[in-house]
Structures are given as structure tokens and as C-alpha cells.
Amino acid sequence: MRLLLTLCLGLCIIALQVVLGAKAFFPDAFADKTDVVDALMEQKKSVLDQIPPAELAWITDHPVVIVGVDPNFYPLEMFDERGRYTGLGGDYLRLLGKLTGLDFRVRRLTDWASTEAQAQQRLIDVFMAAAKTGRRSEYMLFTTPYINMPGIIMTRRGSGLDKVGIDDLKGKKVAVVNNYSWHDFLKEFHPEIIAVPVANTLEALQRVVTGEADAVIDYEFNLLEKIQTGGIMQIQPAGKVDSSYGHAIAVRKDWPELFSVISTALSRITPAEQKMLARKWLQQERPAGQERHLQWIFFFVVESIMLCLILNWLWQNELKKQVALRTRELEAKLAAAKRA
């Protein structure tokens, strides 16, 4: 009986750990499947009957719009395991398609700098999640921001830069994603800081870990997601950047008609609906990082081995008791036979 109870208890503990592990590494499988975007798309109606004839004619002549995106900019835009464009920007793109009837086609490039280069060459028409900077305003028109993203400073543990502000980074090497708004921010407002441009946020973090840069500046949610999924443990938050960038939709400057149509469509998304869309991404559970994944596997294997050892010990102990009991019974029978 004790053996059976131990087995049941052990299996319950392992099953619980499997469920908790699955929830940590595959949160989408346990998430509420109700999509706020689907609900909004059912409510929204096309704005084509509300725009001037000239803009309507322009849409007829330009039915396809090429969208440039950052391939790995959580939570605003990224690509899922099936290669589908997703994130907050992806949700807005779906709504814009419903509201305008335009055929938005996402162009996936290797990094943000390549995306901006194509936009400057008029090969890309729209950004779905871009911050307005002086440099970008030379070739793009920006809508009102639909979300504000705080920026933070992160440094390597043990570097001595535990609490710093932007003014404390004078003469320091700071990693920033090439052509991100923080790269423009340093060049325009803090030329005394040595900017170290890199291809993406993960590379920026790695530059700090290896000592090639003293700090990294990026958007808080993006940094935390890369630290978690990449299992980077040597990085610590060190301070905040006073400036904050609002992210908006940007349209090529020589297409004011498209800018007007998109602005009209965005005005049909209320502030309350914008908050719902943002909450969907900013409050969702993210998959646990690689380091936690390895820790979970280690403890799962150890617990399984311990359960097997305990069960084996209990089984052996039970066998010894049974052997001792049978031995005493046989001895008692032999003694009784001799007396007879």
C-alpha cells in the first residue's frame, strides 16, 4: 500500500511539473484564444465611402502597398514560427486592410537598417511601427503614435555601472540597433556618447556581455524579451532614458494620398480599442528562456531518477519484509512439526 501511495504521489508531482513547464515554454497553448482583432474587424466598416474622390481614385490606381517591418522587434512586430507577420503592428495592419480595402504586402528583410534603406529608395511604402525622428521625417510622413515605448539602459553585472543616467555615459561605448530611433537619439542629442551600431537587440546585449560596449539602450519590452528567451544572465537594468518615443505608422512622403487614407482609417480605432490592442501584447505571457528550459529539464530528470530510486528502495524493502515473513512462517511450521 505504501509503495502504491508513493508511486501515485511521485507521478502527481511529475505531472504537475510537466504542466507548469509546458505553460512556461508554450504559453500560447494555454492562452485565451479569443482574438481582440477578430472582434474589432467584425465591428469595423470600410472608410472608402468617407474619403474624397481624389483619394479614392488614387487607391484604385495603387491597390498594393508594400510594408517594411523589423523582423524581430517584440512586441511591436516580428514573425512567428510559421513565418507570419505578427505583433501589435501586425494587428493594426489587419485592421487597416479591413478599413481601407488595400492589399498590404509585408516585405521581410534581414534587419531594420535594410528596411529603412529600401524605404529611402521608394521600394517600401509604409512602416507599421516606427518612431518619428528628424532623419526619418526627411522621407516619411508619420501618423499620431498609437503606443509609447519607454527606453532603458542596461549594463554588464560587475562593470561598476550599476546606476547610470544618459549623462553618465559620456565617453562610453553604447550599443544600439543600427538606425533605430535610439541610434538617431544619440547622434542628434548626445554626440559625446560613442554609439556602437549593431544589427539587432540580441547582438547589442552580446556586445555588452563581452565588454565590447559599456551599455545598451533599447526599448524595455524588447530588451527584456531578448534577455529572457536568450538566457542572458550577465545583464542588469541600470537606468532609464528620459526621452520616450511614440511608435506610429509611417508613409512615404511622396504619397500624401495614402497618408490621408491611413490617417482616416486610424481615426476609426478609438483610444479604448488602442488600449485593448496594446494590452494584448504588453500583458501576455512570454515563453521562458533557454536557460530556464535547461533548468526545467534538469530538475525533471533528477526528480524522475529520484522517484525510481525511492520506488526501487521501497520495493526491495517490501521484498525483504516478505522474505522475512515467509522465513518466520516456515520456521514456525518446522518447529510445530518437530513438536508433533
Side-chain angles (χ1 to χ4, degrees), residues 79-100:
F79 291 87
D80 65 14
E81 65 280 356
R82 297 182 183 179
R84 297 173 301 187
Y85 176 58
T86 185
L88 183 58
D91 287 349
Y92 274 90
L93 186 62
R94 290 174 59 193
L95 288 168
L96 286 182
K98 172 68 181 293
L99 290 165
T100 66

Side-chain angles (χ1 to χ4, degrees), residues 174-178 180 182-183 186 195-200 204 215-218:
V174 177
V176 286
V177 178
N178 191 24
Y180 261 22
W182 295 118
H183 190 190
L186 292 184
V196 180
V198 296
N200 53 57
V216 56
I217 295 178
D218 205 333

Side-chain angles (χ1 to χ4, degrees), residues 279-303:
R279 191 160 49 240
K280 169 187 171 182
W281 291 99
L282 301 184
Q283 294 184 0
Q284 71 171 344
E285 292 187 54
R286 296 189 287 274
Q290 180 65 20
E291 183 144 330
R292 285 186 58 196
H293 193 176
L294 295 175
Q295 290 174 352
W296 180 82
I297 292 175
F298 171 76
F299 286 117
F300 176 77
V301 171
V302 169
E303 287 175 3

Side-chain angles (χ1 to χ4, degrees), residues 6-49:
T6 302
L7 176 61
C8 291
L9 179 61
L11 290 176
C12 287
I13 293 173
I14 291 177
L16 178 62
Q17 181 156 334
V18 169
V19 171
L20 293 176
K23 191 171 183 179
F25 300 110
F26 307 101
D28 289 344
F30 296 82
D32 183 3
K33 299 302 181 182
T34 303
D35 191 348
V36 63
V37 183
D38 290 338
L40 288 177
M41 288 184 67
E42 291 181 4
Q43 302 170 13
K44 299 300 179 183
K45 296 181 180 180
S46 172
V47 298
L48 295 183
D49 59 346

